[in-house]
Amino acid sequence: LAKTTQPISMDSYEGQEVNITCSHNNIATNDYITWYQQFPSQGPRFIIQGYKTKVTNEVASLFIPADRKSSTLSLPRVSLSDTAVYYCLVGDSGAGSYQLTFGKGTKLSVIP
Amino acid sequence: EPEVTQTPSHQVTQMGQEVILRCVPISNHLYFYWYRQILGQKVEFLVSFYNNEISEKSEIFDDQFSVERPDGSNFTLKIRSTKLEDSAMYFCASSELIRAKNIQYFGAGTRLSVL
């Protein structure tokens, strides 16, 4: 499983765009990049997944450069309710392993 | 939107007792998982389950733990002879069998407190 590195914490004011970058230098050809969000005392919640270039859904965008050694989760116009821990996961379930390996994530604090 | 449901939300037990944590995965999903999160720590994988058998388990998932799908909807985690260090949030998750994408959907968790 590819190791990921992301900032431990970030602060942002309400209404701003937040970009959280994750490094995954040893990402494999078959690996997808997946981001989860976790609120206190709740289970992780799937946000977005991508393989290359850009993916956008109703919640976030995911930017992946051509070398795929990093990815950036972009949250537009954050609100107080976006305060949570965000996890970047990289893995290939095609290799036979379906377990998700969570790191410590990035704790985002949105300030009014 | 379909969701994974877990019961109870909070379970308090005495050390040495057995507990059963229950989960109802999303109905068309085929893979089921249990994870745990000790307060302030990372989410840790325990076990995955497919086609009525364990497909993977971590070193945490020792003989104290067992999983079962007793009927077509429930998926349970049994912890025998609970210890103080078993106190944690336990999350159930499920996924469709889509290789290479493996998006897992988590329940809200059961907080287990061992006294």
Side-chain angles (χ1 to χ4, degrees):
Chain A
L1 295 169
K3 181 179 160 72
T4 61
T5 303
Q6 51 184 124
I8 294 173
S9 63
M10 293 181 73
D11 293 337
S12 175
Y13 287 102
E14 270 193 297
Q16 290 189 328
E17 178 184 80
V18 170
N19 296 308
I20 305 174
T21 297
C22 177
S23 298
H24 26 80
N25 291 318
N26 58 339
I27 188 169
T29 304
N30 294 331
D31 286 347
Y32 276 74
I33 300 155
T34 311
W35 286 80
Y36 285 81
Q37 172 194 56
Q38 187 180 27
F39 298 114
S41 298
Q42 293 189 29
R45 173 178 161 252
F46 168 78
I47 302 176
I48 197 165
Q49 184 183 70
Y51 183 80
K52 61 180 180 180
T53 62
K54 177 184 174 182
V55 179
T56 297
N57 62 22
E58 63 278 6
V59 176
S61 294
L62 180 59
F63 299 92
I64 305 168
D67 66 5
R68 303 199 329 120
K69 294 184 184 299
S70 67
S71 58
T72 299
L73 174 72
S74 181
L75 305 172
R77 297 180 299 282
V78 294
S79 64
L80 296 177
S81 62
D82 293 316
T83 293
V85 178
Y86 292 83
Y87 299 97
C88 165
L89 284 80
V90 172
D92 168 29
S93 62
S97 172
Y98 285 81
Q99 63 176 276
L100 296 180
T101 301
F102 288 85
K104 294 186 177 180
T106 297
K107 185 173 182 180
L108 173 65
S109 299
V110 180
I111 307 162
Chain B
E1 181 179 310
E3 60 179 21
V4 175
T5 57
Q6 291 186 242
T7 54
S9 57
H10 190 190
Q11 175 84 53
V12 181
T13 189
Q14 295 291 325
M15 192 168 56
Q17 295 296 305
E18 174 182 287
V19 295
I20 298 176
L21 310 183
R22 302 179 192 280
C23 168
V24 179
I26 294 173
S27 62
N28 64 333
H29 285 185
L30 299 176
Y31 268 84
F32 314 116
Y33 314 82
W34 283 101
Y35 292 80
R36 80 170 185 192
Q37 186 174 33
I38 296 170
L39 184 63
Q41 298 188 23
K42 299 185 296 185
V43 176
E44 301 173 288
F45 169 78
L46 292 177
V47 65
S48 62
F49 191 87
Y50 171 69
N51 200 27
N52 282 321
E53 60 183 26
I54 291 173
S55 52
E56 270 187 297
K57 60 182 181 179
S58 71
E59 58 187 23
I60 301 169
F61 193 88
D62 59 20
D63 292 343
Q64 186 193 3
F65 295 89
S66 61
V67 289
E68 191 179 29
R69 188 155 162 82
D71 53 43
S73 59
N74 290 286
F75 179 51
T76 62
L77 174 68
K78 182 188 290 185
I79 309 174
R80 287 179 282 274
S81 190
T82 50
K83 300 175 282 198
L84 295 176
E85 53 265 38
D86 294 327
S87 295
M89 285 289 289
Y90 287 82
F91 298 110
C92 174
S94 68
S95 66
E96 293 180 272
L97 185 56
I98 301 177
R99 296 189 77 82
K101 289 197 174 180
N102 191 21
I103 297 171
Q104 296 183 20
Y105 295 88
F106 287 75
T110 293
R111 179 178 299 281
L112 177 64
S113 299
V114 182
L115 306 179

